Amino acid sequence: MAHTTHIAPVTLGTNGHLPFVVRAAEATAARADQAAAESADRYIAREFPAVAELLAEAVPLALARTGINLDAEATAKLIEDTTRGLTAAAAAKAAGACQYRDCEDTEPGHYDHFAHSPQGLKVMDGTDTLLDAGMAACSGTDPAPVVYLRNWEATNMAELEAKVAEIRRMLDATLEFGARVFADGAQA
C-alpha cells in the first residue's frame, strides 16, 4: 500500500535539527509500512474470509506436499507475505492495473493478457526454441487463463502439476536412456 509523508518546509535556520527531522520522517514511513502490512492481514480476513481460511490451511499442506518443513513462525511469515501479495494485487486491480503480475501488456485497462517470454521459462538450442511456457487470458466467450507448455495448455493448477511431473519423469528417463546409449557407444 502506498503512503506519503508530508514534511513541513524546513528553513536553512534549522539550528542543527535537520537530521532529527529526516530521522523522524523515516521512522514515520517505516511505521506506515508496518501498519500497511498488518492491515493487509485484517483486510483479507474481513473482506475475503474464505481466502484467509484457505491460506491458513493450504499453505502448510502445500509445504508438506513439497517436503518443505517450516516451523510455525516461518509458516506464519509465508502466509503473511502471501496475504500482503493478494492485498497488493487487489489494490492494483482496483487502481486499474492488470490482475496478472506477469502480463506483458502494459497498456492500462487492456482486456487480453499474455506472457509469452517470462524469464526462465524457455529452453533454447541456438536460435531455436526447444521448450517454452507462458500464459494467456483473452477476452471473449472464455476469458479463463491458460498456462501453456509448448503446444499443450492447462486450465487449472492440478493439470499443470500433473504435466510438469510427467515432464520431470521424462527428463529423468532421458538421462537414464542417454547414460545407456553413451555407455554402449563407448564399448564400440
Side-chain angles (χ1 to χ4, degrees):
M1 296 183 173
H3 69 274
T4 58
T5 303
H6 176 71
I7 300 175
V10 179
T11 64
L12 294 177
T14 60
N15 295 328
H17 292 19
L18 185 58
F20 171 76
V21 171
V22 170
R23 282 194 308 274
E26 289 171 345
T28 301
R31 283 193 301 275
D33 285 342
Q34 181 181 6
E38 290 171 0
S39 65
D41 291 340
R42 289 193 298 271
Y43 174 79
I44 290 288
R46 183 181 72 245
E47 298 295 325
F48 307 102
V51 171
E53 185 178 323
L54 180 65
L55 283 171
E57 294 173 4
V59 170
L61 289 175
L63 290 172
R65 278 183 38 202
T66 62
I68 298 172
N69 294 319
L70 295 179
D71 60 18
E73 183 179 326
T75 301
K77 174 81 170 107
L78 179 62
I79 292 170
E80 177 185 325
D81 290 347
T82 304
T83 302
R84 189 176 302 123
L86 289 172
T87 304
K93 186 175 181 182
C98 183
Q99 72 190 63
Y100 296 100
R101 290 175 274 184
D102 296 310
C103 184
E104 294 172 5
D105 190 342
T106 57
E107 182 72 27
H110 61 272
Y111 295 100
D112 295 327
H113 312 280
F114 61 90
H116 298 306
S117 54
Q119 186 174 358
L121 297 182
K122 188 176 283 193
V123 177
M124 302 294 291
D125 180 22
T127 59
D128 295 328
T129 302
L130 289 177
L131 181 65
D132 64 333
M135 63 80 68
C138 298
S139 57
T141 57
D142 188 10
V146 296
V147 172
Y148 64 83
L149 293 166
R150 202 64 178 135
N151 295 326
W152 177 86
E153 295 179 350
T155 58
N156 61 59
M157 198 61 194
E159 286 179 356
L160 182 60
E161 287 173 343
K163 186 56 73 176
V164 167
E166 181 181 346
I167 291 170
R168 282 190 179 120
R169 289 190 301 273
M170 189 272 300
L171 291 173
D172 290 340
T174 302
L175 287 174
E176 293 171 9
F177 174 73
R180 290 191 308 271
V181 168
F182 293 123
D184 293 347
Q187 294 175 8

